Amino acid sequence: MSATPATPAPSDTTTDVCVVGGGPAGLVLALLLLRSGAAVTVLEKSASFDREYRGEILQPGAMALLDALGVLAEARARGGHEHDRFQLVEKDRVLLDVDYRMLPKPYDHLLSIPQPHVLDAVRAGCEKYDGFRYLSPARVVELLREDGTVVGARYDGSGGSGTVRAHCVVGADGRYSKVRRLAGIDFDRRDDFSLDVLWFKVPDEGRPGRRDVRVHRDGGSPAMIYHSYPDRMQIGWMLPHGGYRRLAAEGVEAVKARIAAALPRYADLVASEVRRAADLSLLDVFSGRAERWADDGLLLIGDSAHTHSPIGAQGINLAIQDAVAAHPVLVAALRGGDTSVAALSAFEQGRAPDIERVMKLQVMQSRAMLSQGAVATRIRPAVTRVLKHTPAYRKILDRIAFGNRGIQVREDSLKAG
């Protein structure tokens, strides 16, 4: 059971960095900054970690960075499932088989782990530092500015309003970032993917494929399925972009019938477990980038700066890598007393090429996984078998699993001792 943050009385706080958003990007950045000697206040709009999360898959790159921070073992001790492969399956025929066991140990698998397990472990690491303050629920309503520079944020809590004054505010508050909107930074939304994903969970009844993350195409629209700790299966049913509203208007039984047609082997579980619309969670799939990731006194990271498709399970990977990449930029800015847009933009300059490569790779993965027809069905398995024995296969797998391996925790930015 994840810890429920204490509800603070709103007040005026002064800190070095105010991080808005207590997700993976925000909390990992907070831990790194605390280890560098900075004081950090995190503002999180939700009252606790006990809520539904869609992102549960950790790629090897994210695991390696969490391990370097000393929090992976604690997160894993709370429970999770290892998965060896990612497969595309059509009527029991494997069309695409990505085997993570080809990667070097100990990060030779995917890890399905409830996000609260990760957040609790990272937050526990933050709590060891006197300079850490976590305010929840705290919804940001205004950015404080002086002479055009962001110097803090005003928030609404359960007991009223409060302010946090800081040398820098970091927006890590997700794809619909309030910080980004308050800063007046435009967002370039790209509908590169012709699908949305409807997420739900059903009981794990010991069905085959426990160590695989699979995309099934049994009929109708595809669905991603993997085992979710402790005893559930997470299912993401893919439907045409924007099509859920029309389908939902017909009622939940119509939705269930469509899902059952797409996944006949799970039809009985869908019938018994999906009882109302609230049992389903729709993800509007799009990609996009903020027009800029920095302003004077302000930095955007994670989904606030760039948003991605769930294809390839890159969300948490990118969030954690962003935090690690932003860390030395912020430390240098704080130590040099310069949190101008020129100084903070170093993060975007270094990170943007990685993000563009991920976006292109996701489009390629989407086409490879979701394209249908007799020709694609016949050719894809043969191409995959041949590709597996080439250096290109390992290179692509490594890119999906680790992203930019050059992003490592910068020991020279940490405080000695």
Side-chain angles (χ1 to χ4, degrees):
M1 188 74 167
S2 61
T4 300
T7 302
S11 61
D12 295 332
T13 301
T14 299
T15 189
D16 291 321
V17 178
C18 174
V19 176
V20 181
L27 282 179
V28 168
L29 179 60
L31 179 56
L32 285 163
L33 291 171
L34 290 161
R35 290 182 58 181
S36 299
V40 181
T41 295
V42 174
L43 302 179
E44 168 55 45
K45 66 180 180 180
S46 298
S48 80
F49 296 150
D50 291 325
R51 56 188 187 274
E52 286 294 319
Y53 295 85
R54 291 182 288 260
E56 289 190 345
I57 298 291
L58 288 187
Q59 290 278 1
M63 286 186 273
L65 291 175
L66 291 174
D67 213 2
L69 288 169
V71 297
L72 179 62
E74 181 177 343
R76 293 196 62 151
R78 298 168 185 264
H81 294 312
E82 291 186 6
H83 298 282
D84 290 334
R85 295 178 303 221
F86 177 90
Q87 294 186 324
L88 174 63
V89 181
E90 185 171 274
K91 299 187 185 332
D92 294 323
R93 184 186 182 194
V94 177
L95 304 182
L96 186 67
D97 186 7
V98 181
D99 193 343
Y100 276 69
R101 292 171 296 182
M102 297 179 70
L103 296 169
K105 292 180 179 295
Y107 311 115
D108 57 345
H109 56 272
L110 295 159
L111 180 64
S112 167
I113 185 170
Q115 201 172 126
H117 291 191
V118 177
L119 299 180
D120 280 336
V122 180
R123 187 179 165 211
C126 292
E127 294 284 4
K128 297 175 183 177
Y129 295 87
D130 292 337
F132 179 61
R133 192 173 186 204
Y134 188 95
L135 303 182
S136 164
R139 187 179 297 273
V140 171
V141 295
E142 180 185 0
L143 294 178
L144 307 179
R145 290 183 183 266
E146 291 181 1
D147 299 324
T149 297
V150 176
V151 295
R154 186 181 305 280
Y155 67 92
D156 283 343
S158 57
S161 298
T163 61
V164 178
R165 297 186 67 84
H167 298 298
C168 183
V169 172
V170 176
D173 54 335
R175 54 177 23 210
Y176 302 113
S177 172
K178 182 69 173 292
V179 170
R180 187 179 66 218
R181 295 200 306 273
L182 290 172
I185 297 176
D186 289 337
F187 184 77
D188 176 24
R189 173 174 169 141
R190 308 174 191 174
D191 288 308
D192 295 325
F193 305 94
S194 58
L195 57 89
D196 290 331
V197 181
L198 196 64
W199 292 102
F200 58 96
K201 290 183 179 180
V202 298
D204 176 354
E205 295 192 342
R207 301 192 182 209
R210 184 167 194 86
R211 297 182 67 82
D212 300 334
V213 176
R214 291 187 168 195
V215 171
H216 281 272
R217 298 198 325 199
D218 288 348
S221 299
M224 177 181 289
I225 302 173
Y226 61 86
H227 292 264
S228 175
Y229 183 84
D231 56 2
R232 308 284 283 177
M233 287 189 299
Q234 177 84 278
I235 298 179
W237 179 54
M238 305 174 198
L239 67 164
H241 188 55
Y244 180 66
R245 179 178 296 180
R246 294 189 297 274
L247 181 58
E250 300 177 27
V252 70
E253 293 302 320
V255 176
K256 290 166 63 173
R258 286 281 298 276
I259 297 173
L263 293 168
R265 71 187 68 192
Y266 298 105
D268 55 338
L269 290 176
V270 171
S272 62
E273 295 297 316
V274 179
R275 301 183 180 89
R276 54 201 176 109
D279 294 328
L280 305 166
S281 176
L282 180 69
L283 176 64
D284 176 16
V285 176
F286 62 88
S287 62
R289 279 182 56 176
E291 64 171 344
R292 64 183 188 279
W293 300 357
D295 203 344
D296 291 326
L298 175 71
L299 184 65
L300 301 178
I301 68 171
D303 276 351
S304 301
H306 48 83
T307 300
H308 302 264
S309 156
I311 292 173
Q314 292 296 320
I316 303 177
N317 214 37
L318 293 173
I320 292 173
Q321 287 185 333
D322 266 20
V324 173
H327 166 235
V329 173
L330 281 166
V331 169
L334 293 172
R335 291 176 179 173
D338 179 10
T339 57
S340 66
V341 63
L344 298 178
S345 290
F347 167 65
E348 181 177 0
Q349 292 164 10
R351 186 67 170 139
D354 294 334
I355 298 306
E356 195 59 37
R357 279 192 289 269
V358 170
M359 288 185 171
K360 290 179 180 178
L361 183 59
Q362 284 192 320
V363 172
M364 183 178 72
Q365 287 177 286
S366 175
R367 291 171 180 165
M369 287 192 303
L370 305 180
S371 59
Q372 302 193 44
V375 174
T377 299
R378 289 196 303 269
I379 291 176
R380 189 162 25 212
V383 171
T384 301
R385 285 194 297 271
V386 172
L387 186 62
K388 264 191 173 182
H389 300 287
T390 69
Y393 179 84
R394 287 183 177 271
K395 186 175 181 180
I396 293 170
L397 175 58
D398 193 84
R399 172 61 65 176
I400 293 171
F402 287 94
N404 182 353
R405 279 184 176 266
I407 296 177
Q408 301 290 331
V409 174
R410 286 276 297 274
E411 298 294 332
D412 59 330
S413 295
L414 301 177
K415 190 175 180 180

